[in-house]
Amino acid sequence: MTQAEIAVFGGAHIDRRGRIAGTTAPGSSNPGTWFEEAGGGGFNAARNLARLGHSVRMISTRGGDAAGEMVTAAAAAAGVIDSPLTFLDRQTPSYTAILENDGNLVIALADMELYRLFSPRQLQRRSLREVVATSRLVLTDANLPEETIAALAQSAASQGHLVAGIAVSPAKVVRYRPCLSHLSFLFMNESEARALTGKEAAEAEEWPSLLRGLGINGGVVTRGGRAVVAFEGERTCIVVPPALPALADVTGAGDALASGFLSARLSGHGIDDCLRHGIAAAGLTLRSPLAASEEMSAANLEQALALVPAPQMLS
């Protein structure tokens, strides 16, 4: 099996997004448009990282259907090494979202039952053990079962690898609780941070202490267009994202931030520069109608960095 610098485990499925054309009218039929593409938190990050020049392998469960073939084609187009666990008699998972006219999420439905079949036993396959052993970074999202995430994080951490998680949603981020101490970084938004900690934070700088109290070594908490906070050990920094003239779609922005951050980390940058790279990558995605922007590249990321202000170091 061809070795890869990064192994990504988690969601690789179909994203369906409906966008309301005018003002949202709850409980009514709203005119709008429909769009479908391959997506998933892990898969979005995998494609971003591949486009930033990294060798990336994606491991996920998939059905033997047309949706699964769409994911396979998207992986090939982005240069991702695709290693699915295919169940021919099952349907590929899907995520269906309704967006307001400005791109913000109204409601979403996640049909992710197939991911339950990715049990810890699957990780005992010789091929997957070799994938983990030879990767510098192991990244997972919270679409996998809690026990599988825990086994993967523990295995990767015990081998001295960088281990990162993407929260995905408030309902799923709690799946990281058994393995928080094994994560190098956890990427989440404020809603997910609240679900994980059971606490509120009025200001960005309050989140690191609350998350450290759970045993997390490092993480990033996004807050929409407000200040983003990153921490690692006792170091903490804040960056206010640059204002964007318009949002094409918020889908995938958090996955892009994780990608830019981790790409910079693999290049040896500190958390301040990593956070700036993450925010620049998120900006590229927010300007794209796609969850994993085709404009993501090392060159475009460098240009986007010019728009991101210097971080404020708090400790």
Side-chain angles (χ1 to χ4, degrees), residues 261-300:
F261 185 104
L262 292 169
S263 178
R265 186 51 186 265
L266 288 172
S267 296
H269 291 274
I271 61 166
D272 50 348
D273 282 340
C274 289
L275 183 55
R276 291 187 68 245
H277 279 76
I279 290 173
L284 288 174
T285 300
L286 287 168
R287 292 191 289 271
S288 169
L290 303 176
S293 174
E294 294 177 346
E295 299 302 313
M296 187 69 68
S297 69
N300 287 340

Side-chain angles (χ1 to χ4, degrees), residues 125-138:
R125 297 186 183 201
R126 179 178 178 182
S127 60
L128 294 191
R129 286 190 281 113
E130 290 178 351
V131 164
V132 173
T134 57
S135 299
R136 290 181 61 197
L137 164 65
V138 174

Side-chain angles (χ1 to χ4, degrees), residues 25-212:
S28 303
S29 176
N30 288 263
T33 55
W34 196 250
F35 179 72
E36 184 176 88
E37 66 171 337
F43 192 44
N44 292 338
R47 286 180 288 169
N48 289 329
L49 286 162
R51 286 171 174 147
L52 289 174
H54 299 277
S55 174
V56 184
R57 183 181 301 279
M58 182 74 218
I59 303 99
S60 184
T61 54
R62 197 168 305 164
D65 53 10
E69 293 174 0
M70 182 183 294
V71 175
T72 299
V80 173
I81 303 169
D82 191 28
S83 299
L85 306 178
T86 303
F87 296 82
L88 295 176
D89 60 341
R90 302 297 182 101
Q91 289 187 333
T92 297
S94 64
Y95 171 83
T96 303
I98 301 299
L99 307 175
E100 293 184 304
N101 187 47
D102 62 4
N104 284 305
L105 179 68
V106 176
I107 196 169
L109 186 149
D111 180 3
M112 306 290 173
E113 187 67 19
L114 188 61
Y115 292 132
R116 293 182 60 187
L117 298 185
F118 200 141
S119 66
R121 186 175 180 180
Q122 299 285 0
L123 297 174
Q124 296 305 311
R125 297 186 183 201
R126 179 178 178 182
S127 60
L128 294 191
R129 286 190 281 113
E130 290 178 351
V131 164
V132 173
T134 57
S135 299
R136 290 181 61 197
L137 164 65
V138 174
L139 173 63
T140 180
D141 69 22
N143 283 306
L144 299 182
E146 178 179 290
E147 59 272 19
T148 305
I149 294 172
L152 177 62
Q154 182 175 8
S155 175
S158 69
Q159 297 177 64
H161 302 319
L162 188 66
V163 187
I166 296 175
V168 176
S169 72
K172 293 179 180 179
V173 68
V174 296
R175 296 177 182 176
Y176 287 109
R177 282 178 176 159
C179 66
L180 291 174
S181 63
H182 296 303
L183 297 179
S184 308
F185 295 100
L186 180 60
F187 297 88
M188 68 206 98
N189 60 33
E190 272 199 312
S191 295
E192 293 154 353
R194 281 194 292 267
L196 188 61
T197 62
K199 304 289 181 59
E200 293 282 348
E203 302 294 336
E205 55 264 34
E206 297 175 24
W207 282 119
S209 63
L210 294 174
L211 292 163
R212 288 183 184 113

Side-chain angles (χ1 to χ4, degrees), residues 185 203-212 216-221 227-239 261 270-273 275 310-315:
F185 295 100
E203 302 294 336
E205 55 264 34
E206 297 175 24
W207 282 119
S209 63
L210 294 174
L211 292 163
R212 288 183 184 113
I216 301 178
N217 176 69
V220 177
V221 180
V228 182
V229 61
F231 69 97
E232 181 183 20
E234 296 304 314
R235 300 191 69 204
T236 301
C237 67
I238 287 178
V239 174
F261 185 104
I271 61 166
D272 50 348
D273 282 340
L275 183 55
Q312 177 187 0
M313 298 301 300
L314 302 181
S315 59

